[in-house]
Amino acid sequence: MDVRAYGATLALAEPFTIARSSRRVQEVVRVELEHEGVVGLGEATPVYYWGETVESALGFLGAEVSAALGDDPFALEAIRRRLAGRQGEQAAKCALDAALHDWIGKRLGQPVWRLLGLAPTGPPTSYTIGIDTVAGTADRARRARGFAILKVKVGGPDDVARLEAVRRESAARIRVDGNEGWTLEGARELMPALIELGVELVEQPFPAEDVGSFRALRELSTRLPVLVDEGCRDLASVAPIAGYADGINVKLAKAGGLREAIRMIHAARALRLRVMLGCMIESELGIAAAAQIACLADDVDLDGHLLIADPPFAGLGFDAGRVTPSSHPGLGVRPIR
Ligand code: MG
């Protein structure tokens, strides 16, 4: 197998701000895997809050990957096990896993969702409203009227006013994401207002390691479901979360690809955890991999490609608020420039 890896820069349509950072571009890593005349493509965004960068991903893909891959692209489980021996670099593993799945689908002439025995249609996606002024938030909510669900990034003094503005501008269901930026005291104060506004869940309010605050929040007599994102990595992280939260946000870039993500989803089901399928800011190539398994999730948050100014790939569908994979072989997307 011939593996080529490179970095690419995605320009965002608007500045994107969350509790811990703000950005105008997103760096991603891409993999082209060629074998027997077929080329599989994959993409993932390095998990910056775990110290991953495009450079570290490319280092991993350049130096260590050939031996781990072996000579059979169909041997996904053996490849996954060999790659798991190396800690970290989840995005590099994810881009490789996506390219392998794309290769297998193209080789067999079938979309990946069919090879996995799944349906191409999952729950509607949420659309993300980044942190902004109250007026800016209202404007973003107005422009997002095609979406049935809005995920509002929170973590500032104007959170309640911003959420009230979203409620005024939109009839959409509302979820909030704290991106580790809250304190327990702040969460206790905010909870009644969130319930009053009809917010349906809270994602990652506290830092991943602050399990005590998650446990304390569970003691409230009325509260919203809490999902863990930054604190949820791979299969091994799922069972402990059942002890302090209500669900997980599975992202391929964190999990290391489709195969591990599916294992996580099944584990979560056994533990009665709610399952959100999320994404990083990625092009249609990255999002297409996640879209293959959207039907396995309770909640879908696959809007990363919709935040990009000049999309490099096409092929994903958007139908009645749902991001749907195409019926073309593999991941079903093609480069358009
Ligand atoms: Mg999140």
Side-chain angles (χ1 to χ4, degrees), residues 310-336:
D310 191 11
F313 291 89
L316 267 184
F318 188 73
D319 178 26
R322 291 165 165 81
V323 174
T324 51
S326 78
S327 54
H328 292 289
L331 298 178
V333 296
R334 63 186 188 282
I336 51 174

Side-chain angles (χ1 to χ4, degrees), residues 11-334:
L12 307 189
E14 299 177 66
F16 183 71
T17 302
I18 64 171
R20 77 168 86 77
S21 63
S22 187
R23 77 196 82 150
R24 289 173 174 273
V25 296
Q26 180 67 62
E27 308 287 336
V28 299
V29 60
R30 294 209 186 113
V31 165
E32 294 178 9
L33 184 146
E34 187 166 0
H35 186 63
E36 296 177 347
V38 176
V39 179
L41 302 176
E43 178 191 275
T45 294
V47 189
Y48 65 98
Y49 45 82
W50 294 339
E52 296 183 16
T53 63
V54 167
E55 291 69 32
S56 70
L58 294 181
F60 174 79
L61 290 165
E64 303 179 43
V65 90
S66 294
L69 278 181
D71 57 7
D72 180 8
F74 287 96
L76 291 173
E77 186 60 21
I79 293 169
R80 188 198 64 77
R81 279 193 202 146
R82 288 196 291 267
L83 290 174
R86 165 71 155 83
Q87 290 295 306
E89 300 306 337
Q90 300 298 92
K93 292 172 186 170
C94 175
L96 200 55
D97 171 272
L100 285 162
H101 280 86
D102 192 41
W103 187 94
I104 290 170
K106 286 173 173 167
R107 178 76 172 70
L108 299 177
Q110 294 291 336
V112 169
W113 55 267
R114 278 204 82 198
L115 294 176
L116 296 172
L118 301 175
T121 306
T125 185
S126 50
Y127 183 77
T128 303
I129 306 281
I131 294 178
D132 202 332
T133 60
V134 175
T137 301
D139 178 52
R140 286 172 189 255
R142 233 179 344 259
R143 287 186 281 129
R145 281 205 175 129
F147 294 88
I149 309 157
L150 298 177
K151 183 199 269 195
V152 183
K153 296 290 191 177
V154 292
D158 295 332
D159 283 346
V160 172
R162 289 180 55 238
L163 288 165
E164 286 170 349
V166 172
R167 188 73 299 163
R168 272 195 303 277
E169 298 294 340
S170 170
R173 294 153 60 192
I174 300 176
R175 300 168 183 162
V176 300
D177 188 351
N179 288 112
E180 307 188 287
W182 292 9
T183 61
L184 177 59
E185 190 184 348
R188 282 185 176 134
E189 278 178 27
L190 210 47
M191 195 58 78
L194 297 181
I195 292 169
E196 178 70 25
L197 283 161
V199 171
E200 61 179 37
L201 62 84
V202 178
E203 195 177 309
Q204 196 72 44
F206 312 117
E209 63 279 8
D210 185 10
V211 171
S213 287
F214 283 91
R215 288 190 198 281
L217 197 64
R218 280 167 91 91
E219 302 303 316
L220 293 183
S221 54
T222 44
R223 64 175 184 88
L224 296 173
V226 173
L227 269 58
V228 172
D229 178 3
E230 285 87 340
C232 178
R233 184 189 190 95
D234 51 15
L235 180 65
S237 67
V238 176
I241 289 169
Y244 64 88
D246 307 294
I248 57 171
N249 185 343
V250 177
K251 295 179 179 173
L252 301 194
K254 295 187 298 167
L258 279 164
R259 199 165 181 84
E260 185 75 358
I262 292 168
R263 284 151 47 95
M264 294 169 72
I265 291 170
H266 292 316
R269 294 275 171 237
L271 293 158
R272 300 183 192 282
L273 287 168
R274 183 166 174 166
V275 175
M276 177 183 287
L277 181 67
C279 63
M280 312 293 269
I281 296 177
E282 293 155 323
S283 78
E284 293 207 6
L285 176 57
I287 301 299
Q292 308 293 324
I293 60 169
C295 72
L296 295 176
D298 300 305
D299 308 302
V300 164
D301 181 34
L302 295 180
D303 66 339
H305 62 306
L306 304 173
L307 309 178
I308 294 169
D310 191 11
F313 291 89
L316 267 184
F318 188 73
D319 178 26
R322 291 165 165 81
V323 174
T324 51
S326 78
S327 54
H328 292 289
L331 298 178
V333 296
R334 63 186 188 282

